[in-house]
Amino acid sequence: MKTDEDRKPNHLINETSPYLLQHAYNPVDWRAWNDATLEQAQKEQKLIIISIGYAACHWCHVMEHESFEDSTVAAKMNSNYLSIKVDREERPDIDMIYMNAAQIITGRGGWPLNAIALPDGRPIFAGTYFPKDKWIQVLDYFTELQKNEPEKLLEQAKQVTEGIRQADFSPIKETPSDFTQQTLDEIWKNWEGKIDFQNGGRQGAPKFMMPNNYDYLLRYYSLSNNPKVLEAINVTLNKMADGGLYDHAGGGFARYSTDGIWKVPHFEKMLYDNGQLVSLYAQAYQLTKNPYYKQVVDETLNFVEREMKDKSNGFYSSLDADSEGEEGKFYVWTAEELKKIIKDDYDLVSDYFSVVERGNWEQNTNILFKTKDDAYFLNKYRLSEKELKTKIDKAKQLILAARSERIRPGLDDKILTSWNALMLKGYVDAYRAFAEPKHKEMALANATFILEKCKRSDGGLNRNFKNGKSTINGFLDDYSLTIEAFIALYEITFDDKWLNEALDLSAYVMQHFYDEEAKMFFYTSDEDAALISRSKELSDNVISASNSSMAKALYYLGQYFYKEDYIDLSRQMLNNVADQITPNGPFYANWASLMTHFVKEPYEVAIVGKDLHEKRKAFDESYLPHVLFLGSEKEGELDLLKGKFIKGQTTIYVCQKKACKLPVTEVKDALDMMP
């Protein structure tokens, strides 16, 4: 087998993306997406192959090994096409265009995403994974079509491009919607039947975690007190944490479960999942005080700091599903291996994590997962809670130590601004739930990283940080999620700097991303090179849509800075998608979270005096999703803080719609004012 040193590199050898570098020694003459590549396609009038994936993508690796490392396939691609590799995490704008094409042409999408386009980039075909023989058929078919019937390609490109532009069209809705508790109840009524109340999540398989779904349901429960809503939240969070989806030895969650019981994960670990899940479990702890949720947060943050943190205080993107060419090999165990590692407590530990002699997964291996709660083991093995915890914790440490000797999965060490913002907010929410200073310190360190390494002198953000360099003009989610994270950071520091940074970023977004006609935001800046369509992200997925995130950010900034124009725009954006939310709650969950604020106007709690942080911590012992916190030791700069300092005491003001009730000094009294 040839090593990289024996093979000739292609044009990707000078890229920084780990995904692109994975393909740098393929015999396919891959190029990166840039002006020079696109100009060459036009000059040579070659069809373009646009192959999109990401470093941790298992089926991307499979297609690479089967097709892109094959000299016969490479010869066809090199002779008849100009081939471009795209890292979807670096360039989600390109991915969005060709994913829309795949949905239009085939009705489905996913990664790897492989598109064929005219020299000007207009797609004529798009699909996901192809086995080698099928991929060769696709290549041969379009080669012959271009040679013999090029007019068919032009017609197909015209139709698909028109479909993409129609999908990106977002008309303004002039008629205002009535956002009421009844609206929220209707959302739940349509959603409830899709929930798996036995195993959690949506019914069926595969199962994705969808943190924004349960963030919304937490908010909705706080307004409805519907016990079925709380049941849906708890069964999902418990079952996800019990499952093989969760790394019981090392902490952190894999991307999704391939089955309906969270047992068998797709083993890659993504920063964006873990950042959002830390927030979710921390907030669920505030509501329920379930110690299991704290354990999940602690172990996940330990994983993030151990395996995903850069010395710059930025966080890496992902860990691969594969190691040594096998999916999940790093994470699974034979019974014999575990016997040697755990020794005396093997019977208990194997029972606890569902380990069996012949294996509970492939090739006699075991995925660690739980099917029974701790009460079962306390009774069966006649142990106290402390004894059980000690034995299980020791076993997990032994397994983790043994695993550290294995060949590790690949690390995608690029640092993305938007995903770091999600992790930053995770640390903020963990600090609010557990008041551990290290979480606040890490949040501040990461926020400082974003300002120092990702923010430009013109006030804009770059998306990517790698090898000491910040590159790629930021997209809407880089701004919206950072603004939300900075607002959250203000609420635990009461340092105006973070609110002002958020406000400055919002002004940049208004200047460069806003679509005045649609009253929505484009995903790309007006300074970016034009693609065949300028997309807008509207529906929420595993990460909330950048428009729903921006709408929330504008709402919060409007409240803090008395900017009625921001609140009005937030309401209009919500109104534009309102007809989609009620029937499609799970895919508009972050929009629905914003709707809760228009149903019940948030309280503004101003804390003024030297004990402001102790008072805020006392508030954070409760789950208060409809409260915005402001604070200062003396006279504050924000309008709502002016004139509220009383010498010699720490005073709490409960306000709503910019009207404040009589001040109090005890948190309990303030909580009583917020029914």
Side-chain angles (χ1 to χ4, degrees):
M1 181 178 175
K2 289 185 176 181
T3 63
D4 284 350
E5 289 73 20
D6 300 323
R7 295 182 291 179
K8 181 181 177 182
N10 56 47
H11 289 80
L12 299 182
I13 194 65
N14 296 316
E15 298 298 315
T16 61
S17 158
Y19 177 65
L20 299 187
L21 290 171
Q22 286 172 0
H23 295 81
Y25 287 93
N26 292 168
V28 176
D29 188 20
W30 292 116
R31 296 161 190 270
W33 182 286
N34 53 45
D35 290 342
T37 299
L38 299 175
E39 286 168 9
Q40 183 175 344
Q42 292 274 35
K43 182 180 177 182
E44 297 181 3
Q45 282 300 292
K46 276 187 170 182
L47 294 178
I48 305 173
I49 292 171
I50 302 143
S51 184
I52 304 173
Y54 56 99
C57 168
H58 170 70
W59 288 102
C60 299
H61 302 330
V62 173
M63 191 163 177
E64 179 192 10
H65 297 323
E66 289 179 349
S67 295
F68 303 146
E69 291 179 348
D70 183 271
S71 58
T72 303
V73 175
K76 288 179 180 288
M77 292 173 68
N78 295 341
S79 297
N80 303 311
Y81 299 86
L82 193 146
S83 300
I84 301 175
K85 261 288 167 198
V86 176
D87 182 337
R88 70 166 296 266
E89 296 166 355
E90 283 191 343
R91 294 300 306 267
D93 56 329
I94 299 169
D95 178 61
M96 225 176 265
I97 294 288
Y98 295 101
M99 187 62 73
N100 279 345
Q103 295 283 0
I104 290 166
I105 294 166
T106 69
R108 60 188 294 269
W111 299 277
L113 176 61
N114 292 285
I116 296 176
L118 297 180
D120 61 9
R122 288 182 295 161
I124 54 178
F125 175 79
T128 54
Y129 163 76
F130 294 91
K132 177 182 168 182
D133 59 337
K134 296 291 185 185
W135 183 238
I136 288 173
Q137 288 176 20
V138 170
L139 296 174
D140 290 345
Y141 175 79
F142 285 101
T143 298
E144 288 300 309
L145 209 57
Q146 186 191 33
K147 193 179 297 181
N148 300 319
E149 300 178 89
E151 68 281 357
K152 285 190 175 181
L153 298 183
L154 290 169
E155 182 58 30
Q156 173 76 348
K158 180 181 177 182
Q159 291 178 8
V160 175
T161 302
E162 180 58 28
I164 291 170
R165 289 173 179 162
Q166 284 295 322
D168 288 334
F169 178 65
S170 55
I172 186 170
K173 183 184 175 188
E174 302 284 1
T175 308
S177 301
D178 192 16
F179 304 131
T180 65
Q181 183 66 39
Q182 184 179 350
T183 314
L184 301 180
D185 293 340
E186 282 293 317
I187 295 170
W188 170 250
K189 183 179 176 182
N190 291 328
W191 190 333
E192 183 178 5
K194 300 167 186 172
I195 293 172
D196 181 345
F197 281 95
Q198 181 176 350
N199 298 300
R202 282 174 64 85
Q203 292 177 3
K207 283 188 189 289
F208 287 84
M209 296 172 285
M210 304 297 287
N212 55 38
N213 280 212
Y214 299 94
D215 176 81
Y216 166 68
L217 290 179
L218 281 168
R219 293 168 186 264
Y220 174 59
Y221 175 73
S222 74
L223 296 177
S224 67
N225 288 313
N226 184 332
K228 288 297 286 186
V229 177
L230 186 58
E231 181 185 347
I233 295 166
N234 281 327
V235 71
T236 300
L237 268 60
N238 287 326
K239 291 293 187 178
M240 289 195 309
D242 286 348
L245 178 88
Y246 183 68
D247 180 357
H248 292 277
F253 290 83
R255 194 163 78 93
Y256 67 89
S257 172
T258 61
D259 54 43
I261 60 170
W262 308 104
K263 174 187 171 182
V264 180
H266 209 20
F267 286 90
E268 66 261 42
K269 286 180 168 181
M270 315 301 293
L271 182 69
Y272 63 77
D273 284 321
N274 286 284
Q276 292 179 96
L277 288 165
V278 166
S279 288
L280 176 60
Y281 278 88
Q283 291 175 89
Y285 176 84
Q286 285 179 299
L287 176 68
T288 67
K289 298 299 183 284
N290 184 341
Y292 193 24
Y293 297 165
K294 182 180 190 304
Q295 176 187 324
V296 169
V297 170
D298 290 343
E299 292 177 349
T300 299
L301 290 179
N302 287 341
F303 150 70
V304 167
E305 290 169 33
R306 184 179 66 244
E307 302 187 39
M308 304 291 279
K309 180 175 168 290
D310 184 68
K311 63 183 179 182
S312 66
N313 291 318
F315 296 104
Y316 302 134
S317 294
S318 64
L319 284 170
D320 208 325
D322 298 9
S323 57
E324 301 181 75
E326 293 183 27
E327 185 182 11
K329 185 172 183 178
F330 185 71
Y331 298 101
V332 298
W333 304 88
T334 65
E336 286 304 313
E337 287 173 323
L338 290 172
K339 284 177 185 176
K340 292 175 183 175
I341 294 166
I342 299 165
K343 297 176 182 171
D344 293 345
D345 286 323
Y346 174 76
D347 287 346
L348 166 65
V349 174
S350 62
D351 196 3
Y352 194 85
F353 288 121
S354 311
V355 174
V356 293
E357 288 295 323
R358 293 186 178 182
N360 61 36
W361 193 47
E362 300 171 350
Q363 299 176 346
N364 298 322
T365 59
N366 289 277
I367 295 170
L368 304 184
F369 73 106
K370 293 172 60 180
T371 59
K372 299 181 179 69
D373 61 24
D374 284 3
Y376 170 85
F377 298 100
L378 296 175
N379 181 58
K380 180 176 178 179
Y381 293 91
R382 300 187 180 281
L383 297 169
S384 67
E385 289 185 12
K386 183 178 180 180
E387 288 170 332
L388 177 64
K389 185 178 186 307
T390 299
K391 288 178 180 293
I392 296 301
D393 285 351
K394 180 183 177 183
K396 290 196 289 191
Q397 291 166 11
L398 290 170
I399 294 168
L400 184 62
R403 197 172 76 184
S404 69
E405 303 298 319
R406 292 178 166 180
I407 296 173
R408 297 185 55 76
L411 171 70
D412 186 334
D413 62 349
K414 68 177 180 290
I415 299 171
L416 298 174
T417 303
S418 59
W419 296 9
N420 272 252
L422 292 171
M423 196 68 244
L424 164 56
K425 188 164 187 305
Y427 274 99
V428 169
D429 290 332
Y431 177 71
R432 292 189 68 168
F434 309 118
E436 295 182 12
K438 62 181 180 179
H439 298 332
K440 181 178 177 181
E441 291 164 11
M442 193 65 250
L444 283 165
N446 185 244
T448 301
F449 161 82
I450 291 174
L451 287 185
E452 293 181 351
K453 303 297 186 184
C454 305
K455 190 178 179 185
R456 302 188 304 265
S457 58
D458 70 347
L461 292 171
N462 282 342
R463 180 170 182 82
N464 189 48
F465 183 80
K466 179 94 161 49
N467 298 339
K469 293 181 180 178
S470 177
T471 59
I472 305 176
N473 194 23
F475 302 108
L476 182 59
D477 56 343
D478 295 305
Y479 290 87
S480 65
L481 294 172
T482 299
I483 293 168
E484 285 198 86
F486 282 0
I487 294 169
L489 187 57
Y490 166 77
E491 290 195 276
I492 64 168
T493 61
F494 294 136
D495 183 346
D496 289 355
K497 167 185 175 178
W498 300 112
L499 273 186
N500 290 325
E501 289 286 356
L503 187 64
D504 289 347
L505 289 173
S506 74
Y508 188 95
V509 171
M510 291 299 300
Q511 182 179 352
H512 294 286
F513 292 82
Y514 185 49
D515 181 354
E516 173 67 38
E517 186 176 341
K519 302 289 192 249
M520 288 294 214
F521 292 87
F522 291 110
Y523 188 68
T524 53
S525 163
D526 58 7
E527 297 184 334
D528 289 323
L531 300 174
I532 65 169
S533 181
R534 199 171 173 202
S535 299
K536 297 186 184 84
E537 252 191 340
L538 300 181
S539 60
D540 298 318
N541 207 296
V542 290
I543 298 176
S544 296
S546 47
N547 264 286
S548 69
S549 171
M550 194 65 215
K552 284 174 73 176
L554 290 171
Y555 181 86
Y556 296 136
L557 289 173
Q559 294 287 2
Y560 278 111
F561 288 103
Y562 288 8
K563 287 179 68 67
E564 288 300 323
D565 56 331
Y566 272 18
I567 295 173
D568 290 344
L569 177 53
S570 176
R571 181 190 291 272
Q572 180 62 60
M573 293 172 71
L574 179 63
N575 192 54
N576 289 344
V577 298
D579 292 344
Q580 296 297 321
I581 302 174
T582 303
N584 303 301
F587 300 103
Y588 288 83
N590 199 46
W591 289 107
S593 289
L594 173 61
M595 190 188 293
T596 64
H597 293 321
F598 289 106
V599 172
K600 179 179 181 179
E601 181 97 9
Y603 292 99
E604 300 148 308
V605 172
I607 311 171
V608 185
K610 66 181 179 65
D611 294 330
L612 76 168
H613 289 291
E614 286 70 22
K615 301 292 186 185
R616 184 203 48 75
K617 287 178 186 177
F619 278 110
D620 281 338
E621 291 175 11
S622 303
Y623 174 64
L624 301 170
H626 305 293
V627 178
L628 303 180
F629 287 96
L630 309 85
S632 60
E633 285 198 14
K634 294 188 177 179
E635 188 79 10
E637 291 297 317
L638 293 168
D639 284 348
L640 196 61
L641 293 173
K642 290 178 179 176
K644 290 188 167 58
F645 175 64
I646 299 175
K647 190 174 181 180
Q649 71 179 42
T650 298
T651 312
I652 304 168
Y653 298 83
V654 175
C655 311
Q656 197 175 35
K657 299 180 181 179
K658 301 176 180 61
C660 298
K661 301 181 182 183
L662 291 173
V664 295
T665 57
E666 298 299 323
V667 170
K668 180 183 180 300
D669 294 333
L671 289 171
D672 288 342
M673 294 179 178
M674 298 185 289

